[in-house]
Amino acid sequence: MDERELGSMGYGVSEVGLGTWNVGGDWGDVSEDEGRAAIDAAIDEGVTFVDTADVYGDGRSERLIREVLDDRPEDPIVATKAGRRLDPHEAASYTEDNLREFVDRSRENLGVDTLDLLQLHCPPTDAYYRPATFEALDTLADEDRIAGYGVSVERVEEGLKAIEYPGVETIQVICNPFRQRPVERLFDAADRADVGIIVRVPLASGLLTGTIDADDEFPANDHRNFNRDGEAFDVGETFAGVPLEPGVAAVEELRRIVPEERTLAQFALRWILDFDAVSTVIPGSTAPDHIAENVAAAAADPLSHECHGAVRDVYEERIAPHVHQRW
């Protein structure tokens, strides 16, 4: 699999990485054996970038990554996130002391002296207007607790503000054929600043796999059940913020565009990778065959201008009114 530069960090990372939210929790029941098997499968497929967070299963995801890597010769880049352990989750609490505590816990969970990449985990918007938070991250880098840092954002404007801080190396953002605003507002700015783009929720919580119907029911411990209206966290993290019924209708429109040799999921991932500003895209799965399918999208030919235009038409007609101005 081809690699791309992760901003100016000097890391080459696989075009398709692995997101491990579902390895930790909030996606129904996933056993530790299933979680380890998913991480193993991704590395077997050539994945060299793994994304996690300290709150995924209260550290479970980080610990499973460590267990897998302890038994393998490969050394993928592991990015984690911090901040969502704060209670209450307030901008003023993103202090040096709190961040150091979170970083040290992740270093222990992952079994490393220095984290490859630390990302602030979707902090409140006000946090981006507090230089002291980014100065704290600089200090943690000076202490070799972290090799570099970035931010995971909910809103495009947060990413644009984060780029103003010279130490920010990466922006993680939701982007897919149903969340196109980052393409027009954020990607060029990040590219000019030599900031890497990490794309999460690329398949809209499974909606863009084409396997979800409007009347599907999900387990009680699956965020696609308990966060459908944003009860637990930002609603944009669930189905990329798209109401399920119009989302399913839009998927049917997209099916007509997908080349015969590609699945809808591969089509969606290829759409994202066609943008040069993207460093890596991080679909999550615990099924080895789905992971292999996702990785195969990196080898697919770029989509035609006609395909991109057709995707834009579906978005503008079916999806944009629900999401475009929100994030």
Side-chain angles (χ1 to χ4, degrees), residues 11-311:
Y11 295 154
V13 295
S14 54
E15 291 184 321
V16 177
L18 179 72
T20 61
W21 182 13
N22 49 1
V23 168
D26 293 338
W27 290 80
D29 293 329
V30 176
S31 72
E32 292 196 356
D33 284 344
E34 289 176 301
R36 282 186 286 263
I39 299 163
D40 266 321
I43 298 173
D44 287 344
E45 293 292 337
V47 165
T48 63
F49 184 84
V50 179
D51 181 82
T52 185
D54 60 357
V55 292
Y56 293 169
D58 193 27
R60 179 196 195 196
S61 175
E62 291 178 327
R63 292 191 295 273
L64 292 181
I65 291 169
R66 174 184 182 172
E67 290 174 14
V68 170
L69 295 184
D70 279 348
D71 291 333
R72 300 193 61 124
E74 297 90 348
D75 188 25
I77 302 302
V78 178
T80 193
K81 297 184 284 291
R84 300 299 296 199
R85 298 179 66 80
L86 294 168
D87 187 14
H89 185 227
E90 298 175 340
S93 297
Y94 276 77
T95 63
E96 182 178 316
D97 286 346
N98 284 335
L99 289 172
R100 183 179 287 107
E101 177 184 340
F102 299 152
V103 163
D104 286 348
R105 183 176 184 269
S106 289
R107 291 166 62 216
E108 181 177 357
N109 284 342
L110 288 165
V112 298
D113 294 327
T114 303
L115 298 177
D116 294 330
L117 176 66
L118 177 75
Q119 303 157 98
L120 299 185
H121 198 171
C122 299
T125 301
D126 285 352
Y128 298 93
Y129 293 84
R130 296 177 61 87
T133 295
F134 295 87
E135 292 166 2
L137 293 170
D138 288 329
T139 298
L140 295 176
D142 289 342
E143 295 171 352
D144 290 329
R145 283 177 157 84
I146 60 176
Y149 64 84
V151 295
S152 182
V153 303
E154 296 290 3
R155 296 172 176 81
V156 165
E157 285 74 15
E158 294 167 348
L160 292 170
K161 183 63 181 177
I163 288 171
E164 296 181 13
Y165 294 95
V168 170
E169 299 274 10
T170 61
I171 304 290
Q172 185 177 135
V173 65
I174 297 174
C175 183
N176 58 55
F178 288 173
R179 282 283 288 273
Q180 296 193 23
R181 193 162 179 258
V183 174
E184 65 183 49
R185 295 291 313 280
L186 180 61
F187 281 14
D188 284 348
D191 195 37
R192 289 193 300 271
D194 206 8
V195 169
I197 292 287
I198 302 165
V199 172
R200 74 178 188 276
V201 195
L203 301 178
S205 307
L207 186 57
L208 283 167
T209 66
T211 60
I212 293 176
D213 293 323
D215 57 355
D216 280 353
E217 296 183 1
F218 300 92
N221 58 348
D222 188 319
H223 73 100
R224 293 171 295 182
N225 177 321
F226 66 77
N227 195 57
R228 290 276 284 273
D229 296 313
E231 299 94 328
F233 40 80
D234 193 285
V235 70
E237 300 286 346
T238 300
F239 298 129
V242 180
L244 192 53
E245 188 169 339
V248 169
V251 164
E252 293 308 309
E253 295 287 332
L254 284 182
R255 286 187 196 276
R256 304 174 187 175
I257 310 167
V258 178
E260 290 185 4
E261 68 274 15
R262 294 297 167 191
T263 66
L264 179 60
Q266 290 172 332
F267 180 84
L269 294 171
R270 186 65 253 176
W271 182 89
I272 295 165
L273 290 170
D274 282 352
F275 298 99
D276 291 339
V278 173
S279 296
T280 187
V281 57
I282 51 170
S285 178
T286 54
D289 56 334
H290 291 165
I291 291 170
E293 176 187 328
N294 292 339
V295 166
D301 292 334
L303 303 181
S304 67
H305 292 300
E306 291 79 9
C307 277
H308 276 277
V311 171

